[in-house]
Amino acid sequence: MKVYKFGGASLKDAEAVVGLGNLLRSKNDRPLVVIVSAMGKITNAFEETVHSYFKNHKQRSKNLERIKQYHHTIIDQLFDTPQRKLISNLDALYVEIEQFFQNEFHDDHAYVYDQIVVYGELISSQIISYYLNYIGLDTKLIDSRNCIKTDSYYRDANVDWTKTVDLINHHVDPHQITLAQGFIAGDLKGNSTTLGREGSDYTAAIYGYALDAKSVTVWKDVRGILNANPQIFEPTVLINEISYREAIELAYYGASVIHPKTIQPVQRKKIPFYVKSFKYPSKAGTKIGLGHKIQPKVSCFIKKEKLVLLKISTLDFSFMIEKNISEVFGLLYQYQMKVELTQNSAISFSVCFYNKYQRLVELISTLKQNFKVIVYRNVTLYTIRHFNQEAIDRVTSNGKKILLEQRGQETVHYVCV
């Protein structure tokens, strides 16, 4: 069994979907599980629809109409004849969306997000399943919400591995291509959940783990794992081979090509994980597995924007002891902040985090009851892995104001404005 994953960029239009079909034909890997994301930027469009659920009902209808037209254009270009059954299936999905909007109003943004955004993957997988069967590739479509079971921590759900392994093995057919959705899952209450933004890679790793796959391959619009995002840093270098541990380190610090949770499941079963280009499928790409730490040995650059930095001290300037720091971490957890970096001195504690659930005002209000708090919004965190002075100069020489610096043996961090 092999697992392939295709992201939105590799499904953005009819030509891209045809390319997916050609790639599956040329590789001829069987048995095979194919994980697909929403097409193009449709997740963004559904996020706008969620926003309009709370703000503007008229805009919500316009957003949905644009989503429908986008997918119908792709369908019209893919098929020579009308696909009435496919259109009927998609219409049923749109009815489900409308029914959710017409039901009792929900004020939990994260819950609403997960119930709506999952339809990007559900629509995408319907279209791709019909197309693959249309060109003669025997394909079975399954629903990842029935296979991957999680808790109800919406937008970043935690997998119930025991139930998930059993369900995936029950649903996957070892004799044909099995097609499933990335990013989405289901809780035990029957609600949809999601695995975190860009969670489709993680989905592929979950299926690979459950099925004891021979390999997991993520097909992207880049040639593999690069030492930096080419849209931010130039020039870049292709990493040919990297260890599980090093990949987890890069993912943890925010390397955009890998989801932070992706590597752990395949590492546990020593499953080789490949990142390859769907544009150049014959190229080797990057292999993640046992062996070399990183090859070639180069500095790796990671940039994370739109973060918050808090500098916290006691009201009487006494030491920030374990009790104080424990209280701060408890509040960060309570208000669902994703911590990126911490640093403490004798009288202060600094923490840089992502305000994913927009609860910063609540957090600061509570902290100020017992602490002095200095707030820096919209800061940028730069991480350099395997740094040298040339790499540091590359990041810090453009007149940035450095608010916090932290160095380890192989990694240096800068929080800047």
Side-chain angles (χ1 to χ4, degrees):
M1 181 70 71
K2 291 186 178 181
V3 178
Y4 283 179
K5 178 263 175 176
F6 294 89
S10 57
L11 308 169
K12 64 181 179 179
D13 51 30
E15 181 181 359
V17 175
V18 171
L20 181 154
N22 291 337
L23 189 154
L24 294 183
R25 273 177 166 165
S26 66
K27 292 294 182 182
N28 198 32
D29 284 325
R30 304 291 186 275
L32 179 67
V33 172
V34 176
I35 306 297
V36 294
S37 300
M39 292 177 157
K41 300 293 184 181
I42 284 298
T43 297
N44 294 339
F46 271 112
E47 287 178 340
E48 292 174 9
T49 304
V50 171
H51 179 74
S52 63
Y53 172 84
F54 295 97
K55 300 292 184 181
N56 187 332
H57 291 188
K58 290 183 180 178
Q59 187 61 42
R60 184 182 74 202
S61 298
K62 292 179 181 178
N63 288 341
L64 281 176
E65 189 57 37
R66 282 200 295 269
I67 291 169
K68 289 180 185 179
Q69 288 303 318
Y70 173 85
H71 288 112
H72 278 291
T73 298
I74 292 176
I75 291 169
D76 289 342
Q77 293 172 350
L78 280 178
F79 300 99
D80 295 328
T81 57
Q83 300 295 306
R84 293 185 177 86
K85 179 62 175 175
L86 171 58
I87 298 300
S88 175
N89 288 351
L90 296 186
D91 286 344
L93 293 177
Y94 290 122
V95 168
E96 289 178 11
I97 297 171
E98 293 291 354
Q99 287 176 338
F100 179 86
F101 288 142
Q102 293 166 11
N103 289 339
E104 180 183 355
F105 179 79
H106 298 275
D107 60 2
D108 184 340
H109 184 279
Y111 169 79
V112 174
Y113 181 100
D114 277 10
Q115 307 321 300
I116 298 303
V117 171
V118 296
Y119 282 94
E121 276 72 16
L122 295 172
I123 294 167
S124 169
S125 59
Q126 282 281 346
I127 295 171
I128 294 164
S129 172
Y130 267 77
Y131 177 73
L132 294 181
N133 282 295
Y134 180 76
I135 63 173
L137 295 175
D138 187 20
T139 304
K140 173 188 176 183
L141 176 63
I142 62 176
D143 190 332
S144 283
R145 296 176 300 175
N146 298 329
C147 297
I148 300 176
K149 289 301 173 182
T150 70
D151 61 11
S152 300
Y153 196 93
Y154 299 111
R155 294 193 67 184
D156 200 6
N158 300 292
V159 175
D160 183 325
W161 286 96
T162 301
K163 289 185 173 64
T164 295
V165 169
D166 289 342
L167 288 167
I168 286 177
N169 278 278
H170 174 73
H171 283 88
V172 169
D173 189 334
H175 303 295
Q176 59 185 150
I177 297 174
T178 300
L179 183 72
Q181 309 81 13
F183 178 56
I184 75 174
D187 66 14
L188 299 180
K189 302 175 185 177
N191 297 317
S192 300
T193 59
T194 61
L195 302 173
R197 194 69 193 269
E198 309 300 335
S200 293
D201 291 2
Y202 184 36
T203 304
I206 292 170
Y207 276 89
Y209 175 91
L211 297 165
D212 293 316
K214 181 180 179 181
S215 64
V216 175
T217 303
V218 173
W219 298 92
K220 293 183 176 285
D221 58 349
V222 293
R223 51 203 173 110
I225 298 177
L226 305 177
N227 71 320
N229 184 338
Q231 296 178 345
I232 301 171
F233 297 96
E234 282 287 357
T236 57
V237 176
L238 174 67
I239 297 172
N240 301 317
E241 191 173 328
I242 188 171
S243 69
Y244 294 118
R245 181 181 180 85
E246 185 68 24
I248 289 171
E249 291 277 1
L250 291 175
Y252 176 79
Y253 293 129
S256 59
V257 77
I258 315 168
H259 187 271
K261 297 177 182 176
T262 297
I263 305 303
Q264 293 163 338
V266 293
Q267 187 272 336
R268 275 185 271 169
K269 290 194 174 180
K270 306 292 187 293
I271 299 170
F273 187 96
Y274 297 91
V275 180
K276 303 183 72 171
S277 170
F278 63 81
K279 297 178 181 177
Y280 308 102
S282 61
K283 300 289 186 182
T286 301
K287 177 184 177 182
I288 302 172
L290 297 172
H292 295 285
K293 193 170 188 177
I294 182 169
Q295 195 179 51
K297 182 73 176 288
V298 292
S299 296
C300 297
F301 301 85
I302 301 163
K303 179 182 180 182
K304 300 187 82 169
E305 298 180 292
K306 298 181 180 178
L307 304 178
V308 177
L309 176 68
L310 299 185
K311 294 193 174 184
I312 303 164
S313 57
T314 57
L315 295 174
D316 59 0
F317 288 97
S318 59
F319 292 146
M320 282 291 288
I321 60 175
E322 289 83 356
K323 179 181 177 181
N324 304 128
I325 296 173
S326 176
E327 181 181 348
V328 172
F329 270 112
L331 292 172
L332 291 167
Y333 177 79
Q334 178 182 335
Y335 291 106
Q336 299 173 284
M337 301 300 172
K338 185 180 183 302
V339 175
E340 304 290 345
L341 189 69
T342 64
Q343 188 176 88
N344 65 286
S345 65
I347 61 171
S348 70
F349 179 77
S350 298
V351 56
C352 184
F353 56 84
Y354 176 39
N355 181 27
K356 180 175 181 176
Y357 294 90
Q358 302 301 311
R359 303 187 67 185
L360 179 62
V361 173
E362 298 173 76
L363 172 64
I364 294 172
S365 177
T366 305
L367 280 170
K368 284 186 174 180
Q369 295 174 20
N370 295 317
F371 299 98
K372 179 183 177 181
V373 183
I374 301 174
V375 184
Y376 299 91
R377 292 176 171 83
N378 275 328
V379 302
T380 299
L381 172 62
Y382 293 91
T383 299
I384 311 173
R385 183 83 174 148
H386 309 298
F387 66 92
N388 54 31
Q389 191 57 49
E390 180 184 353
I392 290 173
D393 292 343
R394 191 172 171 184
V395 166
T396 61
S397 62
N398 295 328
K400 303 179 184 71
K401 181 180 179 181
I402 299 173
L403 301 175
L404 184 150
E405 176 181 346
Q406 187 175 100
R407 292 196 186 205
Q409 186 174 356
E410 295 191 273
T411 306
V412 61
H413 306 279
Y414 295 97
V415 179
C416 305
V417 288

